[in-house]
Amino acid sequence: MNTFGRNLRLTTFGESHGKAMGGILDGIPGGIKIDMDIILRETARRRPGQSHLVTARNEKDIPELLSGLTDDMVTLGTPIGFIVRNTDQRSGDYGEMAQLYRPNHADFTYDMRYGLHEARGGGRASARETLNWVIGGAIARQLPCMKNVSVQAKVISIGGVRGTSDELAAVVEDAMRRGDSVGGVVECIIEGIPAGIGNPVFGKLHARLAQAMMSINAAKGFEYGDGFAAAAMYGTEHADIFTSEEGQIKTLTNHSGGIQGGISNGMPITFRVAFKPTPTLLRDIETVDKEGHAKILKGKGRHDPCVALRAVPVVEAMAVLVIADEMLG
Amino acid sequence: MNTFGRNLRLTTFGESHGKAMGGILDGIPGGIKIDMDIILRETARRRPGQSHLVTARNEKDIPELLSGLTDDMVTLGTPIGFIVRNTDQRSGDYGEMAQLYRPNHADFTYDMRYGLHEARGGGRASARETLNWVIGGAIARQLPCMKNVSVQAKVISIGGVRGTSDELAAVVEDAMRRGDSVGGVVECIIEGIPAGIGNPVFGKLHARLAQAMMSINAAKGFEYGDGFAAAAMYGTEHADIFTSEEGQIKTLTNHSGGIQGGISNGMPITFRVAFKPTPTLLRDIETVDKEGHAKILKGKGRHDPCVALRAVPVVEAMAVLVIADEMLG
Amino acid sequence: MNTFGRNLRLTTFGESHGKAMGGILDGIPGGIKIDMDIILRETARRRPGQSHLVTARNEKDIPELLSGLTDDMVTLGTPIGFIVRNTDQRSGDYGEMAQLYRPNHADFTYDMRYGLHEARGGGRASARETLNWVIGGAIARQLPCMKNVSVQAKVISIGGVRGTSDELAAVVEDAMRRGDSVGGVVECIIEGIPAGIGNPVFGKLHARLAQAMMSINAAKGFEYGDGFAAAAMYGTEHADIFTSEEGQIKTLTNHSGGIQGGISNGMPITFRVAFKPTPTLLRDIETVDKEGHAKILKGKGRHDPCVALRAVPVVEAMAVLVIADEMLG
Amino acid sequence: MNTFGRNLRLTTFGESHGKAMGGILDGIPGGIKIDMDIILRETARRRPGQSHLVTARNEKDIPELLSGLTDDMVTLGTPIGFIVRNTDQRSGDYGEMAQLYRPNHADFTYDMRYGLHEARGGGRASARETLNWVIGGAIARQLPCMKNVSVQAKVISIGGVRGTSDELAAVVEDAMRRGDSVGGVVECIIEGIPAGIGNPVFGKLHARLAQAMMSINAAKGFEYGDGFAAAAMYGTEHADIFTSEEGQIKTLTNHSGGIQGGISNGMPITFRVAFKPTPTLLRDIETVDKEGHAKILKGKGRHDPCVALRAVPVVEAMAVLVIADEMLG
């Protein structure tokens, strides 16, 4: 359950306030030069503390690559093991929470599933896990088969507001001021995928993207192409008419979002992921403890008011892992 | 790519106009009495030709169970193989299509993926494949672990209209009259799942449901709980406050849709699936042939104007397969 | 548990005295012409009743291919479903056995595993299941990547006797006369595999062959290259010295059996499989029933005195499935 | 290819002379107290340098457990990540080897598979990888389901000699003196497994054990129960007659080695693994370089003359991983 992928497999471990996060990326071919700077660039993008809009937790998040590479950073074809030490833990912040179930967190469900949970910072359910995914994605981006592929995500709405960066930031700042949090939508566009990538039936490319995106913490919805809007459309509106340009078959429109029957058609692959508001609030909130007694959970801690903002590089990383997996197939 | 599930695995085959559809359901424990009537009831629900709103293709779709059962229909613990013969094929209807790429179908992408495609009726990309899933789901429903689980789907909107059955039917009839098709949204509610079912990280229950639902033909979007609406909400609105009722911990609201951190919390699991309009239209439409030459595709054939209507038992079947898989884990 | 393979996956079903055997072969690329005669040739090789040395059970074993192929027998890239009806069952022969545990059969262990077992002819534990494997292998042999690969198995000893066909036949005839059965060893040589096929660590080519061969009914041992004899050797005896012939690196000897570190080295791959004597005897034998009461099991039925003889095409089929799986990887 | 298991999955990484070995053990239930001393005891058993009969490489091999555990060493149900730093590398020893293909090593085949290989000490093909397996096995041994299970391996013959420890040691010492190496056979007996563990067809318990054992470096053969000797036997000799003792069904003999039809029958599970002589010799040996030019490989380095000796805890660890995987199923 901690492994993702088929040809390119990322297996991960780590609790947010344990000793380290880490993973094993298996299936990388031999002979590929890996650029550590690309890995650091991606992990920096998801790192907390970059602006006042995201949590102040200030870790370096420098991964140590432990295997699978020559001294010159050329892949050996063997699995790449990596770890990132957890250095800034302040676990005292979470002491009281160990006894209380935080609303919309996984404390209660982990207790039901495993009989106990690691309360310090969310444990395995913490979004810190996505650091592992970003590292895996940053390596996968460097595969030769990904050379012409562009994967670009961005936040397109926050709290129901679509607009410029400034307008979206204003919504987040307003929520912060009130000790509240707010949801958002991330859109991702993948270009440079040739037609014929993916699989039918249970291996549909969009179904794999859906599974990948819904694995991201706080994700509540996935749609590709016209998505939910297509459910309100007529067939005559939704049809992507084929045409031929310089011997290449294309479609005039892209309602389909670049995938038909689970297989890429050469048009840009477009999808959107809905993220709920961060469940942690800087307000007191009613809850229960393990015995079901009513309690008050004090609002404190350091958390992002809008998880969608930090999800952008994670969405890209997971999209890269899906696409690279298929391209290696 | 034609196998779904981990503990309970459904592997399927079949082109819509080939000799037969079929599958193998592996992982069913021994000693369970299987009621053939339940299988026939479910296949009847998805069968075409039940009303004027769905295609007139009139097959019996009676599955033949070939293994895994005693003469008294008690499971042996061994895989249940089944087939359904394709009897009503009229492949002449599709002759001309073999040379043309139908918009929003998988003809072109299968050609790019496999170098050829079975043009008669959609081949493997046909929604007839979902018959296999309904059979698998109808067997899985009968597992003892599913005894108290209710899985109920229904169409909640068509062409953007939410309303009564009559109002939704009117939208479909109107589209039919114009030779057009129309999209819709199916909602599914799963009740009776205890807290603690599912897995974190890459095995999240909602991610598996997303993958299952996005595997259904014409699905364009998936959301659970508040879904995309959560992206427009604030944390204070979205919080599901815990409470304790007769010693059982519950939440006052269910914005989360019954799943937190990928694991069920004991509340009803709610999700919605968006379906695009059926791509086949009863109108002439411009397209290209394999060489990219402009052609006119004549509108004919027998197809559902609203695929969401027939998707209802398929959504239920896939939900059952996911839940049963987890319950057996 | 009823699926074999990774890139090329065979999933099977069927009890020996149920309605049908069958399977689904998934992962075959599109555009390959399949020759039905090759399938019939292989199933004929394993068919009972070919000589007086093997059981008189006389079924036609003609598989019906139900999907994955055009009318011209060209693969579509979609899964090939197939069934073989069980026509000659004489289940009366097995009536009494339903209550008794046959020594060295799986009656008792299936009861412990599933709570019941299909007593007619061995049910799922019957060697009739290998018919499915031979069909899968006969299709896989026809893949372009297998064009230059030769897979040849033969019986090299029976009852401890190594010798000519005549000498081995004499051992079997002698056992038959006494109502007894006898074990044997099958050797298989695979030629035409280029260097570099396979995987290290848990995907070692010889480990996959071992798993495949040990899946065959009655198999008790597997060895490759020098095998168990290597355990009695010194390093200086066992070394395969490298040499270069016309620019191609080879080894002067082949103690390694064509595999080093789990990956083929271009030399012939050689392995042997030990088969126990058929457990069914034509003699009365002491046993117990389900309640543990002492009983006498009457010797009758139609069974092969030497299962190694009929295992030859099965060994080849499983070797083909392993090699094809790796070649497609 | 670097993952082993289904319910309990061990994924590993590491080159012998890279930064670290390590792995992720996924599928361990929550709430189990882990005793670090048991892990250290097992890693000590396989550690080089314990006697003059095994290589003098002297590493501490202390694993660091990075996740999946509370501070009190109670499992969280989440994956246990671990690493072991490689501290004693002396990579200079291997400098010259980078250009030469060592006979019976994986240098050549890795080059063919990946286009390059890590020559320092065998890289990923080194037996140092088995340290990861021993750590995984030492954790799995502590599962509640393994409480009554005993897994005991020992060397039963070396260089063809069966005898006491003293006699076997003499064979190894003699080989050492001559700069030679020697093969051996390890036998393993598993007791305490109830009847009904395992699966039929492709999931046979002995087939899984075969795959596990053949994954161990230098393994050339696997047999269970009577193994290859069964191929020289008659059915009347090989039959395990059922009997009933105090209401429990047993067999009078155990030719079957505790498994029938792929499922345990409650008798001890017995198997043997053949290991070839260590390929590294302390003698000069002829070989070729990457271009195929004839070269002399100087004999030096620190290696075990008899790999079977150090394989004993590895055989046990892999057996534990297979059994625990099935017991959790």
Side-chain angles (χ1 to χ4, degrees):
Chain A
M1 299 303 104
N2 293 281
T3 297
F4 185 82
R6 208 183 105 74
N7 302 301
L8 183 65
R9 290 168 299 282
L10 177 67
T11 304
T12 64
F13 67 84
E15 281 75 46
S16 61
H17 289 63
K19 290 190 184 164
M21 311 305 294
I24 301 176
L25 187 63
D26 194 9
I28 294 280
I32 301 167
K33 179 85 181 176
I34 296 297
D35 183 345
M36 191 69 190
D37 287 344
I38 292 175
I39 301 172
L40 296 176
R41 182 193 72 198
E42 293 300 313
T43 58
R45 285 179 68 203
R46 87 161 276 297
R47 192 183 307 152
Q50 295 170 288
S51 82
H52 65 290
L53 296 182
V54 293
T55 162
R57 205 167 186 256
N58 196 347
E59 293 174 82
K60 290 299 186 306
D61 292 350
I62 307 287
E64 186 183 8
L65 307 189
L66 297 171
S67 67
L69 296 157
T70 66
D71 292 347
D72 297 331
M73 294 289 282
V74 174
T75 60
L76 287 163
T78 58
I80 298 177
F82 61 85
I83 61 169
V84 186
R85 297 277 171 184
N86 293 326
T87 53
D88 175 26
Q89 303 175 11
R90 299 197 209 165
S91 60
D93 282 19
Y94 297 93
E96 148 187 52
M97 291 179 185
Q99 307 306 317
L100 306 185
Y101 290 137
R102 295 169 297 163
N104 296 40
H105 275 92
D107 306 337
F108 171 65
T109 54
Y110 270 57
D111 265 12
M112 293 296 106
R113 175 74 173 79
Y114 298 113
L116 78 172
H117 76 279
E118 168 59 270
R120 294 175 299 175
R124 185 91 185 114
S126 164
R128 184 157 170 77
E129 158 69 9
T130 60
L131 173 59
N132 290 329
W133 311 357
V134 168
I135 294 167
I139 298 171
R141 265 178 202 267
Q142 303 186 42
L143 289 172
C145 62
M146 296 298 285
K147 195 178 159 68
N148 297 315
V149 176
S150 152
V151 177
Q152 295 267 346
K154 65 177 178 190
V155 176
I156 57 166
S157 76
I158 290 181
V161 175
R162 298 181 72 103
T164 66
S165 279
D166 284 0
E167 290 164 310
L168 298 180
V171 178
V172 179
E173 279 167 25
D174 180 58
M176 276 183 87
R177 256 191 308 272
R178 293 181 283 113
D180 208 341
S181 61
V182 62
V185 175
V186 174
E187 182 174 72
C188 185
I189 298 177
I190 307 174
E191 294 182 285
I193 306 285
I197 300 299
N199 288 290
V201 189
F202 299 123
K204 290 191 170 87
L205 184 52
H206 55 268
R208 296 203 56 199
L209 286 167
Q211 191 219 332
M213 297 306 144
M214 296 306 285
S215 300
I216 302 175
N217 303 51
K220 297 298 290 185
F222 170 89
E223 59 177 14
Y224 80 107
D226 285 353
F228 274 86
M233 292 168 75
Y234 287 88
T236 42
E237 298 172 87
H238 190 266
D240 288 324
I241 302 300
F242 281 109
T243 182
S244 178
E245 275 180 29
E246 295 169 21
Q248 195 152 10
I249 293 172
K250 300 192 165 187
T251 59
L252 292 174
T253 51
N254 190 20
H255 298 290
S256 296
I259 302 172
Q260 281 163 336
I263 299 168
S264 66
N265 69 356
M267 300 295 288
I269 294 172
T270 63
F271 63 86
R272 282 163 300 282
V273 190
F275 292 94
K276 68 178 182 183
T278 316
T280 309
L281 304 176
L282 299 184
R283 297 175 172 198
D284 292 358
I285 198 162
E286 293 170 37
T287 190
V288 297
D289 63 12
K290 291 192 181 195
E291 284 71 40
H293 301 133
K295 296 280 176 181
I296 298 296
L297 183 70
K298 294 281 176 194
K300 63 175 176 178
R302 302 143 296 150
H303 288 273
D304 300 314
C306 180
V307 74
L309 287 173
R310 278 185 62 199
V312 169
V314 182
V315 166
E316 290 184 9
M318 290 307 288
V320 165
L321 287 171
V322 169
I323 298 296
D325 193 12
E326 292 291 343
M327 300 285 269
L328 288 172
Chain B
M1 300 304 102
N2 292 282
T3 297
F4 185 83
R6 207 184 105 75
N7 302 301
L8 182 65
R9 291 168 298 282
L10 177 66
T11 303
T12 64
F13 67 84
E15 280 75 46
S16 60
H17 288 63
K19 289 190 185 164
M21 310 306 293
I24 301 175
L25 187 64
D26 194 9
I28 294 279
I32 302 166
K33 179 85 181 177
I34 296 298
D35 183 346
M36 191 70 191
D37 286 344
I38 293 175
I39 301 172
L40 295 176
R41 180 193 74 198
E42 292 301 312
T43 58
R45 285 178 68 203
R46 86 161 276 296
R47 192 182 308 151
Q50 298 170 286
S51 82
H52 66 290
L53 296 182
V54 293
T55 159
R57 205 170 186 252
N58 197 345
E59 292 175 82
K60 291 299 188 305
D61 293 348
I62 308 288
E64 186 184 7
L65 307 189
L66 298 170
S67 68
L69 296 158
T70 65
D71 291 348
D72 297 331
M73 294 290 281
V74 175
T75 59
L76 288 163
T78 58
I80 299 176
F82 61 84
I83 62 170
V84 186
R85 298 278 172 183
N86 294 325
T87 52
D88 175 26
Q89 303 175 11
R90 298 198 211 167
S91 61
D93 282 19
Y94 295 93
E96 150 189 48
M97 290 180 185
Q99 306 306 315
L100 306 185
Y101 288 139
R102 294 169 298 162
N104 296 38
H105 275 93
D107 307 338
F108 170 65
T109 54
Y110 269 57
D111 265 12
M112 293 297 104
R113 175 73 173 78
Y114 298 113
L116 79 172
H117 76 277
E118 168 59 89
R120 293 175 300 174
R124 185 88 184 118
S126 164
R128 184 157 170 77
E129 159 68 10
T130 61
L131 173 58
N132 289 328
W133 311 357
V134 168
I135 295 167
I139 299 171
R141 264 178 201 267
Q142 303 186 43
L143 288 173
C145 61
M146 296 297 285
K147 194 179 160 68
N148 297 316
V149 176
S150 151
V151 177
Q152 295 267 346
K154 65 177 177 189
V155 176
I156 57 165
S157 76
I158 290 180
V161 175
R162 297 181 74 103
T164 66
S165 279
D166 284 1
E167 289 164 310
L168 299 179
V171 178
V172 179
E173 279 167 23
D174 180 55
M176 276 183 89
R177 255 191 306 274
R178 292 181 283 112
D180 208 341
S181 62
V182 63
V185 174
V186 173
E187 183 174 73
C188 184
I189 297 176
I190 308 175
E191 292 182 287
I193 305 286
I197 300 299
N199 287 289
V201 191
F202 299 123
K204 290 190 170 87
L205 184 53
H206 55 268
R208 295 204 57 199
L209 286 168
Q211 191 219 333
M213 297 306 144
M214 296 306 284
S215 300
I216 302 175
N217 303 52
K220 297 299 290 185
F222 170 89
E223 59 178 16
Y224 79 108
D226 284 354
F228 275 85
M233 292 168 76
Y234 288 88
T236 41
E237 298 172 86
H238 190 264
D240 288 325
I241 302 301
F242 282 109
T243 182
S244 178
E245 276 179 32
E246 296 169 20
Q248 193 152 12
I249 293 174
K250 300 193 167 185
T251 58
L252 291 174
T253 49
N254 190 21
H255 297 290
S256 296
I259 302 172
Q260 280 163 337
I263 299 169
S264 66
N265 68 356
M267 300 294 288
I269 294 172
T270 62
F271 63 86
R272 283 164 298 283
V273 190
F275 292 93
K276 68 178 182 183
T278 317
T280 309
L281 305 176
L282 301 183
R283 296 175 174 199
D284 292 359
I285 199 161
E286 291 171 40
T287 191
V288 298
D289 64 13
K290 290 192 180 193
E291 283 72 39
H293 300 133
K295 296 281 178 179
I296 298 297
L297 183 70
K298 294 282 177 191
K300 64 175 177 179
R302 300 144 298 148
H303 289 273
D304 299 314
C306 179
V307 74
L309 287 173
R310 278 184 61 200
V312 169
V314 182
V315 165
E316 289 184 9
M318 290 307 289
V320 165
L321 287 171
V322 169
I323 297 297
D325 193 12
E326 292 291 343
M327 300 284 269
L328 288 173
Chain C
M1 301 304 103
N2 293 280
T3 298
F4 185 83
R6 209 184 104 75
N7 301 300
L8 182 65
R9 291 167 299 281
L10 178 66
T11 303
T12 64
F13 68 83
E15 282 74 47
S16 61
H17 290 63
K19 288 190 186 164
M21 311 304 294
I24 302 175
L25 188 64
D26 193 8
I28 294 281
I32 301 167
K33 179 83 181 180
I34 297 297
D35 184 346
M36 191 69 190
D37 288 343
I38 293 175
I39 301 173
L40 295 177
R41 182 193 73 199
E42 292 301 312
T43 58
R45 284 179 68 202
R46 87 161 274 297
R47 190 183 308 151
Q50 296 170 287
S51 82
H52 65 290
L53 296 183
V54 293
T55 160
R57 207 169 184 252
N58 197 345
E59 291 175 84
K60 289 300 187 306
D61 292 350
I62 307 287
E64 186 184 8
L65 306 188
L66 298 170
S67 68
L69 296 158
T70 65
D71 292 347
D72 298 330
M73 294 289 282
V74 175
T75 59
L76 288 162
T78 59
I80 299 176
F82 61 85
I83 61 169
V84 185
R85 298 278 171 181
N86 293 326
T87 52
D88 175 27
Q89 302 175 12
R90 298 198 211 168
S91 61
D93 282 19
Y94 296 93
E96 150 189 50
M97 291 179 186
Q99 306 306 317
L100 306 186
Y101 288 139
R102 294 169 298 162
N104 297 41
H105 275 92
D107 306 337
F108 171 65
T109 54
Y110 270 56
D111 265 12
M112 293 298 104
R113 176 74 174 79
Y114 298 112
L116 78 172
H117 76 278
E118 167 59 90
R120 293 175 300 174
R124 185 87 185 117
S126 164
R128 184 157 171 77
E129 159 68 9
T130 60
L131 173 59
N132 289 329
W133 310 357
V134 168
I135 294 167
I139 299 171
R141 264 177 203 267
Q142 303 186 42
L143 288 172
C145 62
M146 295 298 284
K147 195 179 160 66
N148 297 314
V149 176
S150 151
V151 176
Q152 295 267 346
K154 65 177 178 189
V155 177
I156 57 165
S157 76
I158 290 181
V161 175
R162 297 181 73 101
T164 65
S165 280
D166 284 0
E167 290 164 311
L168 299 180
V171 178
V172 179
E173 280 167 24
D174 180 57
M176 277 183 87
R177 253 191 309 271
R178 292 182 285 113
D180 208 340
S181 62
V182 62
V185 175
V186 173
E187 182 174 71
C188 184
I189 298 177
I190 308 174
E191 293 182 286
I193 305 286
I197 299 300
N199 288 289
V201 191
F202 300 123
K204 290 190 171 87
L205 184 52
H206 55 267
R208 295 202 58 200
L209 286 168
Q211 190 219 334
M213 296 307 143
M214 296 306 284
S215 300
I216 303 175
N217 303 52
K220 297 299 290 187
F222 170 89
E223 59 177 15
Y224 80 107
D226 284 354
F228 274 85
M233 291 168 77
Y234 288 88
T236 41
E237 297 172 87
H238 190 265
D240 289 324
I241 303 300
F242 281 110
T243 182
S244 179
E245 276 178 31
E246 296 171 19
Q248 193 151 11
I249 292 174
K250 301 194 165 184
T251 58
L252 291 174
T253 50
N254 190 20
H255 298 290
S256 296
I259 303 173
Q260 281 164 336
I263 299 169
S264 66
N265 68 357
M267 301 293 288
I269 293 172
T270 63
F271 64 85
R272 281 164 298 283
V273 189
F275 291 94
K276 69 178 181 182
T278 317
T280 309
L281 304 176
L282 300 184
R283 296 174 174 200
D284 291 359
I285 199 162
E286 292 170 40
T287 190
V288 297
D289 63 13
K290 291 191 181 194
E291 284 72 39
H293 302 132
K295 295 281 177 180
I296 298 296
L297 183 69
K298 293 283 177 192
K300 63 177 176 176
R302 299 145 297 146
H303 288 274
D304 299 314
C306 180
V307 74
L309 287 173
R310 278 184 64 198
V312 170
V314 181
V315 165
E316 289 185 10
M318 291 307 289
V320 164
L321 287 171
V322 170
I323 297 296
D325 192 13
E326 292 292 342
M327 300 285 270
L328 287 173
Chain D
M1 298 304 103
N2 293 282
T3 298
F4 184 83
R6 207 184 104 76
N7 302 301
L8 181 65
R9 290 168 299 283
L10 177 67
T11 304
T12 64
F13 68 84
E15 281 73 47
S16 61
H17 289 63
K19 289 189 185 165
M21 311 305 294
I24 301 175
L25 187 64
D26 193 9
I28 294 281
I32 301 166
K33 179 86 180 177
I34 296 297
D35 183 345
M36 190 69 191
D37 288 343
I38 293 175
I39 301 173
L40 295 176
R41 181 192 74 197
E42 292 301 312
T43 58
R45 284 178 69 203
R46 86 161 276 297
R47 193 184 307 151
Q50 296 170 286
S51 82
H52 64 292
L53 297 183
V54 293
T55 160
R57 205 168 185 254
N58 198 346
E59 293 174 84
K60 290 300 187 305
D61 292 350
I62 307 288
E64 187 184 7
L65 306 189
L66 298 170
S67 68
L69 296 157
T70 65
D71 291 347
D72 298 331
M73 295 290 282
V74 174
T75 60
L76 287 163
T78 58
I80 299 177
F82 61 85
I83 62 168
V84 186
R85 298 277 172 184
N86 294 326
T87 52
D88 175 27
Q89 302 174 13
R90 299 199 210 165
S91 60
D93 283 18
Y94 296 93
E96 148 190 49
M97 291 180 186
Q99 306 307 315
L100 305 186
Y101 289 139
R102 294 169 298 163
N104 296 39
H105 275 92
D107 307 337
F108 171 66
T109 54
Y110 269 57
D111 266 12
M112 293 297 104
R113 176 73 174 79
Y114 299 113
L116 80 171
H117 76 279
E118 168 59 89
R120 294 175 300 175
R124 185 87 184 117
S126 164
R128 185 158 170 76
E129 159 68 9
T130 60
L131 173 59
N132 289 329
W133 310 357
V134 168
I135 294 167
I139 299 171
R141 265 178 202 269
Q142 303 184 45
L143 288 172
C145 61
M146 296 298 284
K147 196 179 159 67
N148 297 315
V149 177
S150 151
V151 177
Q152 295 267 346
K154 65 176 178 188
V155 176
I156 56 165
S157 75
I158 290 181
V161 175
R162 297 181 74 103
T164 67
S165 280
D166 285 0
E167 290 164 309
L168 299 180
V171 178
V172 179
E173 279 167 25
D174 180 57
M176 276 182 89
R177 255 192 306 272
R178 292 181 283 114
D180 208 342
S181 62
V182 62
V185 174
V186 173
E187 183 174 71
C188 186
I189 297 177
I190 308 174
E191 293 183 286
I193 305 286
I197 300 298
N199 288 289
V201 189
F202 299 123
K204 291 191 170 87
L205 184 52
H206 56 267
R208 295 203 58 200
L209 286 168
Q211 191 219 331
M213 297 306 143
M214 296 305 285
S215 299
I216 303 175
N217 303 50
K220 297 299 289 186
F222 170 89
E223 59 177 14
Y224 80 107
D226 285 353
F228 274 86
M233 291 168 76
Y234 287 89
T236 41
E237 299 172 85
H238 191 264
D240 288 325
I241 302 300
F242 281 110
T243 182
S244 179
E245 276 179 29
E246 296 167 22
Q248 192 151 13
I249 292 173
K250 299 194 166 185
T251 57
L252 292 175
T253 51
N254 190 20
H255 298 290
S256 296
I259 303 171
Q260 281 163 335
I263 299 168
S264 66
N265 68 357
M267 301 294 288
I269 294 172
T270 63
F271 63 85
R272 283 163 299 282
V273 189
F275 292 94
K276 69 177 182 182
T278 317
T280 309
L281 304 176
L282 300 183
R283 299 174 173 197
D284 291 1
I285 199 161
E286 292 172 38
T287 191
V288 297
D289 64 13
K290 290 192 181 195
E291 283 73 37
H293 300 134
K295 296 281 177 182
I296 298 296
L297 183 70
K298 292 283 175 192
K300 63 176 176 178
R302 301 145 297 147
H303 289 275
D304 300 315
C306 180
V307 75
L309 287 173
R310 279 185 61 200
V312 169
V314 182
V315 165
E316 289 184 10
M318 291 306 289
V320 165
L321 287 172
V322 169
I323 297 297
D325 193 11
E326 292 291 342
M327 300 285 269
L328 288 172

